[in-house]
């Protein structure tokens, strides 16, 4: 197995402005020993791990039944249409994750020797906090490795990835076998346990000694010292709540059908209880954030963020970006100054229920195929631009028909939609991309949302205890879905939910559909379909569209076909690694 060795003299180039990369000045070549007296240099190894966290909006939706892209050479498009191999894997996180863990392991092996501050109390707190961050981040990277590369090996066993918890030197043994899936899950939990011990649940300032968490009182009885290290200045660093959330993510993955195996003891009840820990911290069912549906475009909420604070919906996010219109430039329709990359499918559009909560194919839906966008779930208009939408700072009517006479029409130009739809979610429609007066707005990219945890609980609780069972918790899958649909549909009664609540299979379908809608375009669908191990025909469902001209709706039944094979429920180990190390086995089917 290949690990990218970190040579200290080169790593320091991340933190200096040296221009002589091939012949650096001697003073820029630092050794491990210099970590002990240079706290900024030492912290740099931890910072590097933050820089390569997998992006939340990775656009893997292009490779699902939810969307296609007009970028015809896009790696996700080519993957979905037959070019996914162990040598060409757009969803690989192998190298980046192991490189990050190299930094983290080096940090963990040396942080106790670093002089973090002249104040001994602060120094101990800094070391504790940063060790907690490092353990948590190592668990994070192991989760992504397990999700993207875990699977059934060539020997028929359920395998994870190699577990590396020590810094690898040039003399280390690299020919390391994959650990079992269960061992990887346990390693993630172990690292997250350490993170929770070393970190506050959230980074907030305090004013009295009594507010210092008990486990930190051994280090200081001074609120100012605590705030210096564990206060609001640490916001958006890894914290205890993030550890709880990644524990729930890991448990949900491990309990899912694709990984159910006699060697994997994970249970749905575990997944439900871990998700409930996050929900209970938030305040239970009633605390589901009311603004969560449109977290990306809540103007006053975003404008009011300060001192690293989060909106109510957000557990963890990237830093704010001001006066920005990058996402809009990529995804607005052409007439609004965009390049229309993300094209939602008719498949996804059909998944949105009517405003009365019934699926469009239900006898009580009152769906009208001649006016298909009327009386639909409000999330549809919030997440998707469709023919007749009034959008942008100019309140322009978007016409997506192939005969519309505008550049927004289907396949009119390379930046036009291929399906008859454009993505609206993730975007702020008050951004102006008009070339004569371009202006941006403040944005943030999430890393973790509370709604994801509510949906995780609903899925796991339904599987563990049925639609209305509660296990050891105070609420059921039914209760959670009722709250989510109430927020979205604003119904006094939800007759369709009442209809399915006595049937676990029907509730499963509803929960999965709610997850599809609530998390669309957020890079979940690709992995959800695989961990659910849906029928291969579903994995290969042809992407469809809708052409609207002069009030006539013409279905486009084959916008883009999918070409996944049965072994593609699991991602591959990079072929380059398999060729080098004979103890590293490949997942079944991959070449």
């Amino acid at each position: 197995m290949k690990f990218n060795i970190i040579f200290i003299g080169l790593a320091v180039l991340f933190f200096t402005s040296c221009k002589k990369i091939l012949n650096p000045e001697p003073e820029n070549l630092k050794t491990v020993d210099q970590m002990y007296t240079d706290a900024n240099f030492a912290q740099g190894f931890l910072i590097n791990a933050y820089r390569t966290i997998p992006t939340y909006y990775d656009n893997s939706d292009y490779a699902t039944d939810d969307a296609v892209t007009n970028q015809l050479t896009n790696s996700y498009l080519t993957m979905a249409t037959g070019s996914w191999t162990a040598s060409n894997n757009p969803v690989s996180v192998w190298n980046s994750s192991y490189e990050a863990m190299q930094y983290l392991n080096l940090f963990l092996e040396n942080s106790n020797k670093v002089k973090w501050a002249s104040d001994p109390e602060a120094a101990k707190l800094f070391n504790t906090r940063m060790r907690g961050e490092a353990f948590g981040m190592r668990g994070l990277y192991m989760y992504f490795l397990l999700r993207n590369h875990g699977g059934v090996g060539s020997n028929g066993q359920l395998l994870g990835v190699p577990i590396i918890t020590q810094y690898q030197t040039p003399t280390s043994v690299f020919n390391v076998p994959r650990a079992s899936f269960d061992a990887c899950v346990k390693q993630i939990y172990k690292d997250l346990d350490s993170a929770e011990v070393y970190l506050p649940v959230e980074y907030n300032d305090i004013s009295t000694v009594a507010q210092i968490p008990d486990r930190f009182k051994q280090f200081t009885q001074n609120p100012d010292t605590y705030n210096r290290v564990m206060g609001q200045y640490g916001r958006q660093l890894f914290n205890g709540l993030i550890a709880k959330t990644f524990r729930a993510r890991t448990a949900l993955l491990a309990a899912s059908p694709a990984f159910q195996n006699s060697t994997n003891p994970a249970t749905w009840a575990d997944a439900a209880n871990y998700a409930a820990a996050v929900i209970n911290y938030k305040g239970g069912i009633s605390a589901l954030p009311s603004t969560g549906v449109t977290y990306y475009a809540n103007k006053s909420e975003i404008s009011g963020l300060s001192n690293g604070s989060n909106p109510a919906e957000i557990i963890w996010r990237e830093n704010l970006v001001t006066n920005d219109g990058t996402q809009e430039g990529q995804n607005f329709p052409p007439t609004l100054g965009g390049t229309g990359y993300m094209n939602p499918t008719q498949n996804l559009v059909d998944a949105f229920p009517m405003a009365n909560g019934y699926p469009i194919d239900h006898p009580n839906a009152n769906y009208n195929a001649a006016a298909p966008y009327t009386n639909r779930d409000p999330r549809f208009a919030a997440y998707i631009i469709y023919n007749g939408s009034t959008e942008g700072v100019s309140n322009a009517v978007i016409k997506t028909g192939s005969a519309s006479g505008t550049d927004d029409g289907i396949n009119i130009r390379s930046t036009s939609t291929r399906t008859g739809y454009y993505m609206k979610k993730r975007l702020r429609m008050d951004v102006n991309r008009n070339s004569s007066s371009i202006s941006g707005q403040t944005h943030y990219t999430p890393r973790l949302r509370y709604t994801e945890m509510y949906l995780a609980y609903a899925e796991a609780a339904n599987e563990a205890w049925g639609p209305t069972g509660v296990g050891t918790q105070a609420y059921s899958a039914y209760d959670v879905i009722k709250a989510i649909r109430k927020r979205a549909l604003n119904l006094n009664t939800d007759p369709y939910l009442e209809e399915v609540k006595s049937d676990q299979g029907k509730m499963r379908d509803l929960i999965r559909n709610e997850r599809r809608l609530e998390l669309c375009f957020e890079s979940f669908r690709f992995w959800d379909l695989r961990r659910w191990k849906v029928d291969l025909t579903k994995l290969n469902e042809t992407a469809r569209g809708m052409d609207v001209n002069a009030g006539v709706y013409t279905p486009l039944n084959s916008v883009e076909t999918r070409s996944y094979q049965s072994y593609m429920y699991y991602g591959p180990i990079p072929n380059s690694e398999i060729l080098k190390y004979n103890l590293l086995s490949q997942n079944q089917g991959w070449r």
Side-chain angles (χ1 to χ4, degrees):
M1 163 170 195
K2 176 184 176 182
F3 295 100
N4 289 297
I5 305 303
I6 303 169
F7 294 102
I8 304 302
L10 295 179
V12 73
L13 296 179
F14 284 104
F15 318 115
T16 70
S17 59
C18 176
K19 296 181 181 179
K20 298 181 180 180
I21 296 177
L22 296 179
N23 296 290
E25 296 297 329
E27 62 267 25
N28 285 333
L29 290 174
K30 296 192 175 185
T31 66
V32 170
D33 290 347
Q34 286 173 276
M35 291 176 65
Y36 309 149
T37 56
D38 187 342
N40 288 331
F41 176 62
Q43 190 179 16
F45 292 99
L46 185 60
I47 291 172
N48 257 346
Y50 277 102
R51 290 174 175 167
T52 54
I53 294 173
T55 184
Y56 191 77
Y57 296 142
D58 70 8
N59 295 328
S60 59
D61 308 79
Y62 296 157
T64 74
D65 54 354
D66 275 2
V68 300
T69 182
N70 59 23
Q71 298 172 283
L72 300 184
T73 59
N74 181 273
S75 58
Y76 289 122
L77 184 155
T78 58
M79 177 178 73
T81 53
S83 298
W84 191 12
T85 69
S87 300
N88 179 27
N89 181 12
V91 294
S92 176
V93 294
W94 190 272
N95 287 337
S96 60
S97 294
Y98 279 114
E99 285 176 11
M101 288 195 289
Q102 275 280 79
Y103 284 110
L104 295 169
N105 289 337
L106 177 66
F107 179 87
L108 286 168
E109 290 178 12
N110 291 278
S111 75
N112 290 331
K113 303 175 184 177
V114 176
K115 183 179 180 180
W116 290 111
S118 56
D119 176 358
E121 291 187 352
K124 290 178 181 178
L125 276 177
F126 273 122
N127 186 49
T128 298
R129 190 199 78 198
M130 283 189 269
R131 287 184 69 80
E133 292 175 65
F135 280 119
M137 295 280 282
R138 194 168 70 183
L140 173 154
Y141 279 105
M142 181 61 79
Y143 162 78
F144 283 111
L145 279 166
L146 195 60
R147 185 194 70 173
N148 292 32
H149 299 285
V152 178
S154 55
N155 58 4
Q157 295 180 347
L158 183 63
L159 299 175
V161 296
I163 296 175
I164 307 297
T165 57
Q166 293 183 326
Y167 176 64
Q168 302 293 289
T169 70
T171 60
S172 296
V173 175
F174 299 122
N175 195 6
V176 181
R178 295 167 66 184
S180 71
F181 185 90
D182 179 50
C184 290
V185 170
K186 286 183 168 62
Q187 180 61 45
I188 294 171
Y189 290 165
K190 182 179 179 180
D191 278 341
L192 297 178
D193 284 342
S194 296
E196 288 197 65
V197 169
Y198 291 143
L199 297 171
V201 180
E202 293 191 89
Y203 296 104
N204 291 309
D205 284 351
I206 62 169
S207 56
T208 67
V209 174
Q211 292 175 303
I212 299 176
D214 289 342
R215 62 188 181 280
F216 300 128
K217 286 179 179 176
Q218 62 177 306
F219 300 122
T220 187
Q221 299 281 310
N222 186 332
D224 290 338
T225 302
Y226 178 86
N227 290 342
R228 176 183 174 187
V229 182
M230 303 289 194
Q232 67 178 19
Y233 295 114
R235 288 174 180 166
Q236 306 318 325
L237 298 176
F238 201 99
N239 62 28
L241 182 59
I242 296 166
K244 291 180 187 294
T245 306
F246 269 95
R247 185 188 305 276
R249 275 189 168 187
T250 302
L252 189 71
L253 179 75
S256 296
F259 301 103
Q260 289 177 358
N261 181 281
S262 60
T263 63
N264 173 21
T267 68
W268 285 112
D270 288 341
N273 289 328
Y274 290 147
V278 179
I279 295 171
N280 294 340
Y281 174 80
K282 182 64 172 173
I285 294 293
S286 62
L288 178 71
S290 60
T291 57
V293 171
T294 53
Y295 68 89
Y296 53 92
N298 299 328
K299 300 177 185 178
S300 59
E301 185 177 66
I302 296 171
S303 297
L305 295 177
S306 62
N307 298 321
S309 61
N310 285 329
E313 171 63 17
I314 300 301
I315 296 171
W316 195 20
R317 63 172 173 82
E318 295 184 23
N319 292 330
L320 294 176
V321 180
T322 59
N323 193 29
D324 180 63
T326 304
Q327 284 271 332
E328 290 74 17
Q330 292 174 350
N331 295 292
F332 269 178
T335 60
L336 296 183
T339 50
Y341 285 169
M342 182 78 78
N343 304 159
T345 60
Q346 187 65 40
N347 315 53
L348 175 59
V349 170
D350 289 347
F352 286 91
M354 300 300 290
N356 62 13
Y358 284 102
I360 64 171
D361 58 356
H362 192 282
N364 297 334
N366 299 319
Y367 173 71
N368 181 0
Y373 310 140
T374 302
N375 295 325
R376 297 296 291 273
D377 179 334
R379 289 174 294 190
F380 167 60
Y383 295 166
I384 294 176
I385 296 173
Y386 56 92
N387 186 73
S389 292
T390 302
E391 306 292 353
V393 293
S394 61
N395 290 320
V397 177
I398 306 301
K399 298 179 180 180
T400 65
S402 58
S404 66
T406 78
D407 288 341
D408 295 338
I410 293 173
N411 294 327
I412 297 299
R413 54 188 294 184
S414 62
T415 55
S416 303
T417 179
R418 297 171 59 205
T419 62
Y421 302 101
Y422 294 92
M423 180 182 72
K424 185 174 180 180
K425 191 179 188 181
R426 296 170 25 181
L427 311 181
R428 288 193 56 163
M429 303 311 292
D430 53 346
V431 164
N432 191 345
R433 295 297 303 175
N434 185 301
S435 59
S436 63
S437 55
I438 290 178
S439 63
Q441 296 291 346
T442 300
H443 295 70
Y444 67 84
T445 299
R447 284 192 172 127
L448 296 169
R449 291 176 55 203
Y450 276 108
T451 295
E452 179 195 342
M453 289 294 100
Y454 282 84
L455 289 163
Y457 178 84
E459 179 182 342
N462 181 61
E463 301 296 340
W465 310 308
T468 57
V470 298
T472 59
Q473 303 302 324
Y475 41 85
S476 65
Y478 162 82
D479 294 325
V480 170
I481 294 302
K482 183 176 181 179
I484 286 174
R485 285 167 61 90
K486 171 74 173 175
R487 180 179 72 175
L489 299 166
N490 195 28
L491 294 173
N492 291 324
T493 60
D494 191 338
Y496 183 68
L497 177 60
E498 298 302 315
E499 177 183 313
V500 305
K501 74 175 185 179
S502 60
D503 187 311
Q504 186 184 42
K506 290 181 179 179
M507 180 61 86
R508 177 185 300 123
D509 291 341
L510 178 58
I511 291 169
R512 289 182 178 184
N513 196 67
E514 286 297 316
R515 183 176 175 91
R516 180 182 190 177
L517 303 182
E518 288 281 341
L519 302 179
C520 65
F521 312 127
E522 296 179 55
S523 311
F524 285 90
R525 183 71 171 169
F526 182 87
W527 302 110
D528 283 345
L529 291 173
R530 282 162 176 77
R531 68 179 179 83
W532 292 332
K533 211 166 187 180
V534 299
D535 187 86
L536 190 60
T537 58
K538 178 62 178 176
L539 210 59
N540 282 320
E541 185 174 300
T542 299
R544 297 177 284 112
M546 183 69 74
D547 194 6
V548 187
N549 293 296
V552 177
Y553 293 81
T554 304
L556 303 176
N557 292 322
S558 186
V559 173
E560 187 174 286
T561 58
R562 301 286 182 244
S563 185
Y564 294 116
Q565 305 301 314
S566 58
Y567 61 85
M568 293 179 178
Y569 289 107
Y570 311 105
I573 306 300
N575 191 54
S576 58
E577 306 297 281
I578 297 295
L579 293 174
K580 292 175 184 175
Y581 304 112
N582 66 341
L583 294 183
L584 190 63
S585 63
Q586 183 59 275
N587 285 327
Q588 286 183 357
W590 290 100
R591 298 288 186 270

